[in-house]
Every structure is written in structure tokens, then in C-alpha cells.
Amino acid sequence: MYNFYVMDGKKLIDYKPNKKHYASAIIRFSEKIGCLNEMSNEKFLSAYPDQFKQYLYLLIKFISNAFDSGESYTKEEIKEWFYLISGVNDMVECLTPNEFMQMFPIAKDYDGEKYEVKDYFYCIAYISQMDINKPIGQENGPEFLMEYWNWDINMYMCTWMGIVNRMHQAHGGRDITEEFFESQGVHFNTYYEEDGYMVDNVTGERHKVLKSQNRLKKLFSV
């Protein structure tokens, strides 16, 4: 979905859709189709291929814009978010790589090797190992999204990881990032900004954090 520009008098205002716009579009779409709950993803794609892709696009944009990692969601709300991203992934798995690339073109970034990050060439090399006219499939779905290079999908997968992490915590787990680094022998400290000290989470030792002082000379007097 593109950004829009709205005239306000003689000024041109940059208008970008937000979560409310995507939510409204999803509701209108669901009311228009009316039989989404009665069809499997495969039947939906077969019967209404264009609508299937429009609906998937709206869901991906909505999730990226609506989920707030800093929000205090209840356990039931986290479950609903988790079921939503699971449903989106199931829809992605029904598409072929070729169809997905038409929906979300690979970003035209070509300097990934220089900065040791993914780019257009990396993504093309990954997809070339697949049959681009065969459905992505359940066995490839999550990895395909992780390896894909498109800013909308990057944002979606960051949100996806946040929801998976919150779901893990809701079932008694700890932060996935902390668990991973601790498994690699790296431990975290907890910083109490208001009190100005840091605690070693392993030993319990407390360390005073000194605020940095401006060492630049005053060049001008006012």
C-alpha cells in the first residue's frame, strides 16, 4: 500500500496508513467476502486468488503496525496475536515464491556483501534453490520469511519474533534473547536508571553507574 498525499489549503501533507486504516480495511474485506471461515487457505486461494493476496497483504501490514512490544498484553491477548501470525504464515506457505515476489518485491539493495548483511543478491541466491512456481510449503515457510529481503517483511518478522517471545514468556519461559546469549556464556546486567546503578544478574553485585560529563570546552560565551 502506497503513501498518500492530502491537500490542506496550499500545503501537501504526507499521509501514511496506520493500524486503524488497515484494521478497517480488513473488516470491510471480511464483510465483503463473507465466507472466509468456511474455506481452507488452499480453497480460498484457488477460488479467489486476487482477494487472497489482498487479504494477506493487509494482515501483514496490520500486524507490523498494530502490535506494540511495549504494551502490557494479557495472556489471552498474546495467544490471539500468536494465532494471527500463525494464520498469516499458513497463508504465505500456500503461495509460490514467484507469487510472493510479485506481492513484496525484493528490495533493490546491492551492497550487502560490503556490510555483511542480506541484500538483493543474497535473497535471489536463496530463492534460486527453490522451485519458484511451487508452493513455499510448511517446511520452508518460516525460513523463507526470515531469508527474504523486503522492508515490509522485515518489519513483519521483527514483530513476529516479538510475539513469539511474548508467547514463550506467557508459558513460563524467559526472554528468548537472554536465554540464547546465556546458552553462549554471555550474561546480562540489569540497569536501574533512576537509582543510577547496575546489577550483575549472576552474582548479584551492584555497581554504581557514573554519568558522563561533557568534556568539550566552552567555545563561545553567551
Side-chain angles (χ1 to χ4, degrees), residues 42-58:
E42 291 77 8
K43 289 183 178 180
F44 183 16
L45 177 59
S46 177
Y48 308 99
D50 292 339
Q51 289 86 344
F52 180 95
K53 295 170 187 175
Q54 291 170 9
Y55 190 51
L56 175 59
Y57 180 90
L58 289 172

Side-chain angles (χ1 to χ4, degrees), residues 37-216:
N37 294 329
E38 302 173 6
M39 290 189 294
S40 65
N41 286 328
E42 291 77 8
K43 289 183 178 180
F44 183 16
L45 177 59
S46 177
Y48 308 99
D50 292 339
Q51 289 86 344
F52 180 95
K53 295 170 187 175
Q54 291 170 9
Y55 190 51
L56 175 59
Y57 180 90
L58 289 172
L59 287 173
I60 287 176
K61 295 290 286 186
F62 169 74
I63 292 170
S64 300
N65 283 273
F67 182 79
D68 185 351
S69 59
E71 183 73 21
S72 297
Y73 295 107
T74 66
K75 187 174 182 178
E76 290 304 315
E77 287 173 333
I78 291 297
K79 283 184 179 180
E80 291 177 3
W81 280 111
F82 184 80
Y83 292 147
L84 182 58
I85 61 171
S86 298
V88 167
N89 286 13
D90 290 342
M91 293 180 72
V92 169
E93 292 160 5
C94 294
L95 296 175
T96 66
N98 192 31
E99 290 173 321
F100 193 83
M101 286 188 288
Q102 292 175 18
M103 289 180 61
F104 297 98
I106 302 173
K108 303 301 190 291
D109 299 312
Y110 307 109
D111 54 358
E113 185 175 0
K114 177 180 179 180
Y115 298 103
E116 298 184 351
V117 296
K118 289 185 292 186
D119 65 355
Y120 179 87
F121 299 117
Y122 177 92
C123 190
I124 287 293
Y126 172 78
I127 294 175
S128 66
Q129 304 174 48
M130 308 171 68
D131 184 341
I132 65 170
N133 295 310
K134 182 179 178 181
I136 295 167
Q138 186 176 7
E139 67 280 5
N140 298 318
E143 181 183 273
F144 178 86
L145 290 171
M146 284 287 189
E147 298 294 344
Y148 202 73
W149 188 243
N150 170 281
W151 287 110
D152 285 327
I153 300 305
N154 292 348
M155 291 299 297
Y156 169 74
M157 290 309 292
C158 287
T159 307
W160 182 87
M161 283 298 299
I163 295 172
V164 169
N165 187 39
R166 294 288 288 275
M167 187 69 169
H168 180 64
Q169 292 174 320
H171 286 79
R174 294 169 51 235
D175 185 279
I176 291 176
T177 305
E178 288 187 18
E179 289 185 355
F180 170 76
F181 278 106
E182 287 183 3
S183 70
Q184 305 301 310
V186 179
H187 298 280
F188 285 85
N189 295 330
T190 301
Y191 176 47
Y192 297 89
E193 185 175 5
E194 292 184 2
D195 298 320
Y197 66 88
M198 187 174 292
V199 175
D200 188 312
N201 292 341
V202 177
T203 65
E205 294 180 10
R206 180 182 298 188
H207 306 279
K208 185 70 176 177
V209 177
L210 300 177
K211 294 184 178 180
S212 61
Q213 298 180 353
N214 187 1
R215 298 178 181 278
L216 294 177

